[in-house]
Every structure is written in C-alpha cells, then in structure tokens.
Amino acid sequence: VQLQASGGGLVQAGGSLRLSCAASGSISGFNVMGWFRQAPGKQRELVALLRNGGDTDYEDSVKGRFTISRDNVKNTMYLQMNSLKPEDTAVYYCAGDPVYYAGTYHSDYWGQGTLVTVSS
C-alpha cells in the first residue's frame, strides 16, 4: 500500500485546511494511522494518531484545533486543521502503523508529505 498526502497550501493565521492521505489499497489493515509534521530545522513530530477502535492521540499544541479521521471505504485518512497558527507551518506526512522506538516514529508506510504554510 502506498500513501499520498495532499491538501497543503498557504493559509492565513486563523484559517483552515483539510489534509487527505489517499491509499493505493485498503487501509482497513492498518491498526493505527497517523499524521506527522516536520518544520524547518526541527525533527519530525507526531501530530495525531487514530486507532481502529476510534481512540485518538493529539500533540498538545493541536488539541481542540485539529481532528483526525479515516474513511475505510474511500481508503483515505484526513486531518482537519482549524484555527491555524504560524507555528503549524511544516511539511505534513501521513503514515500507516507507525511505531515509536529509539526516540522517533518509524513506519513502512509513509506518504510523501504536503507543505502547509501559515502566514501571520
């Protein structure tokens, strides 16, 4: 399965974007899917995780502003981002079944990334 992220762009602070992560095959086999981001000069960090049972985890700075969801029929995962801030500027990546070890997340299924730029 290959993942392709899209939906990034330039938006003013306070605006919204919806990112999509489309899979070339079924995503129902993924127990966990996630969104990550990497800002210039920084390490890639977790933004949100969604487990098959519906449990979610969010990075503290995005709680209440971002919502992760998935549509197993359309084989697509989403990240709705509201009230965007300049510090949300980063390349956003999606991943299937990410695993945390050795200080970072690893996955055999990474999307290619989509750039989100939030202007002040």
Side-chain angles (χ1 to χ4, degrees), residues 50-64:
L50 174 60
R51 298 175 182 80
N52 250 343
D55 291 342
T56 57
D57 287 325
Y58 292 96
E59 196 271 327
D60 285 346
S61 70
V62 308
K63 287 180 181 177

Side-chain angles (χ1 to χ4, degrees), residues 38-100:
Q38 187 167 17
K42 295 187 177 181
Q43 288 189 330
R44 185 157 50 190
E45 66 174 1
L46 171 68
V47 175
L49 289 175
L50 174 60
R51 298 175 182 80
N52 250 343
D55 291 342
T56 57
D57 287 325
Y58 292 96
E59 196 271 327
D60 285 346
S61 70
V62 308
K63 287 180 181 177
R65 299 189 297 122
F66 291 10
T67 303
I68 187 172
S69 62
R70 63 193 280 180
D71 185 331
N72 285 355
V73 174
K74 294 183 178 180
N75 292 317
T76 303
M77 178 178 64
Y78 304 98
L79 184 68
Q80 178 66 43
M81 306 187 295
N82 298 328
S83 302
L84 282 161
K85 303 176 181 180
E87 50 263 44
D88 294 319
T89 295
V91 177
Y92 284 71
Y93 300 88
C94 56
D97 283 340
V99 178
Y100 184 83

